[in-house]
Amino acid sequence: MVAPAKSGVSAAPLLDILRRRIAAEGPITVAAYMADCLLHPEHGYYRSQEAIGLHGDFITAPEISQMFGELLGLWAADYWQSLGCPDRCYLVELGPGRGTLMRDALRAARALPQFRAALTPVMIEASTRLRGLQEAALAHEGAIWCEQIAAIPKDAPLLLLANEFLDALPVRQFQRGDDGAWHERCVGLDEATNDLCFLLDPRALPFDDLLPQILRDSPPGSIVESSPPVRAVAVEIAARLKQQGGAALFIDYGYASAGAGETLQAVWRHTYADPLQNPGLADLTAHVDFGSFALAAKRAGAAVHGPVGQGVFLERLGIAARAAKLKQSNTTQAGDLDQALRRLTAPEAMGTLFKALALTPPESPKPAGFA
Ligand code: SAH
């Protein structure tokens, strides 16, 4: 699938860097491997590759249809009204990719001029390359960019959107050994071939807060994933919502409650690839454990709404009516619109595996779509 390396010289510059690092320092955790693959300053996937869209490696909901971003913009407008139409608020997006979702959300927001006038778009993006695409998509929209959630301004309510952001955050993996103990799964070097390979840290790990309790007795050989950065996002956003007010919407593919199993996956040019092949050239993601995310947010004082399947969520926001309206004005594109609607909502497409979950401060109105 992936172009083979030529005579000892890897096609992936990051591979040689990782080989040297592992040779010098020993195996690295799966989370450290994932972090380098995605965000290495020079060779990280999001920093160097054309990732998203028809010509990239994968396509996301906002790239499938304008309806997705528009409906999320209206979701934010609805919550702004339930906050009493504040004069100022921030429409924040985490991991905005090509900027398509925000562009479509702002177009929909213009239907309520008072809402559009109140909001400042805030883009949280770690990749300068993607930031460049976002700036082009949002020229004259008055947006500001930050690299980290901590830099989001604190002086007005937040309406926050995050589509396929959590799945890009690193996961640690743990495996139960034949000795009955849990060990961290790492990436090391195969002694014979010098290729990257998975191996287990020989040290037994205490089965602590990192792993869901219900998985303690999984049979030997089981792999369990845990993402401290995903939980940190839940805690940080919960704290901000308590301070500033507002609501946050996370949409991603994942599972509603924890289970054993490995979900780390690589995608290269719309095809699954080996996660250890060509680091930095393929996208690496893991399914989101919405159960752990929700628990972390609740412990940090937020109210959790959902998760509900993306299909049900978009239907509740009125995607069928929006598609019908667009078909009336674009009769030649009726077939494309039907296909986009199906991809976004059908259970066998993105409708069930993708889920929507919202956070608000406690005792706040329920956001649209979670009734
Ligand atoms: N939301 C977009 C793109 C999803 S890809 C869409 O739906 O099309 C993941 C996005 O998150 C990219 O923009 C990537 O650069 C960004 N990202 C990944 N890790 C990040 C981090 N730690 N901090 C900020 N942005 C990050």
Side-chain angles (χ1 to χ4, degrees):
M1 263 181 285
V2 178
K6 283 187 207 118
S7 60
V9 182
S10 167
L14 190 56
L15 179 57
D16 295 319
I17 294 171
L18 286 165
R19 274 183 180 140
R20 284 200 295 275
R21 176 174 167 196
I22 294 168
E25 298 169 22
I28 58 175
T29 64
V30 169
Y33 174 74
M34 201 173 161
D36 258 356
C37 286
L38 294 179
L39 292 176
H40 182 277
E42 220 181 317
H43 305 297
Y45 178 72
Y46 286 120
R47 305 230 158 146
S48 61
Q49 301 298 306
E50 179 69 52
I52 309 155
L54 270 184
H55 304 291
D57 291 308
F58 59 95
I59 191 154
T60 55
E63 304 293 334
I64 290 174
S65 167
Q66 69 185 80
M67 295 186 286
F68 188 80
E70 288 171 349
L71 289 170
L72 267 48
L74 295 176
W75 177 91
D78 179 74
Y79 209 78
W80 172 76
Q81 286 177 325
S82 73
L83 293 173
C85 308
D87 287 345
R88 293 180 54 234
C89 67
Y90 294 104
L91 183 61
V92 183
E93 187 178 354
L94 307 183
R98 302 167 60 90
T100 308
L101 194 167
M102 184 61 90
R103 189 195 63 204
D104 293 338
L106 292 174
R107 184 182 333 102
R110 285 201 280 275
L112 287 88
Q114 201 195 339
F115 172 56
R116 180 62 191 92
L119 53 90
T120 303
V122 180
M123 310 287 269
I124 306 299
E125 177 55 69
S127 154
T128 40
R129 207 184 57 82
L130 286 175
R131 176 180 165 159
L133 294 181
Q134 293 157 17
E135 283 171 347
L138 299 184
H140 316 300
E141 294 281 15
I144 55 177
W145 274 262
C146 315
E147 277 191 30
Q148 288 176 352
I149 291 171
I152 298 171
K154 294 188 171 157
D155 57 346
L158 299 180
L159 297 163
L160 183 145
L161 307 172
N163 184 60
E164 290 208 48
F165 170 71
L166 298 175
D167 68 45
L169 300 180
V171 291
R172 293 174 69 175
Q173 289 187 336
F174 305 96
Q175 188 166 4
R176 193 163 191 208
D178 295 331
D179 57 357
W182 288 85
H183 300 267
E184 182 140 20
R185 204 163 178 238
C186 294
V187 176
L189 291 176
D190 183 303
E191 280 176 14
T193 62
N194 206 29
D195 286 333
L196 299 179
C197 65
F198 287 113
L199 43 82
L200 291 190
D201 185 332
R203 287 169 297 185
L205 201 87
F207 201 105
D208 60 10
D209 237 22
L210 274 174
L211 296 172
Q213 286 296 317
I214 47 163
L215 300 177
R216 183 186 289 264
D217 292 325
S218 306
S222 304
I223 295 177
V224 171
E225 291 175 343
S226 168
S227 177
V230 165
R231 292 195 297 276
V233 169
V235 170
E236 209 171 350
I237 299 301
R240 287 302 198 94
L241 291 172
K242 259 169 70 181
Q243 274 172 28
Q244 294 170 242
L249 176 65
F250 293 86
I251 300 182
D252 229 305
Y253 54 101
Y255 38 95
S257 59
E262 180 191 13
T263 71
L264 181 72
Q265 67 183 30
V267 171
W268 188 75
R269 303 204 178 153
H270 301 275
T271 315
Y272 289 108
D274 176 346
L276 298 185
Q277 283 280 323
N278 294 295
L281 297 184
D283 184 39
L284 267 191
T285 58
H287 287 206
V288 174
D289 175 358
F290 280 104
S292 297
F293 182 83
L295 187 63
K298 267 185 209 150
R299 282 184 181 158
V304 177
H305 311 275
V308 300
Q310 172 174 297
V312 169
F313 179 69
L314 294 176
E315 276 154 15
R316 287 176 180 165
L317 296 187
I319 194 167
R322 182 72 190 125
K325 184 111 193 286
L326 283 171
K327 277 204 276 190
Q328 269 174 11
S329 44
N330 306 280
T331 40
T332 53
Q333 283 167 27
D336 291 348
L337 282 159
D338 281 335
Q339 202 198 356
L341 179 65
R342 199 197 65 76
R343 280 181 81 178
L344 293 174
T345 59
E348 68 279 10
M350 297 171 81
T352 322
L353 178 59
F354 280 73
K355 296 177 176 59
L357 179 147
L359 304 180
T360 62
E363 285 145 43
S364 305
K366 222 180 229 312
F370 293 95

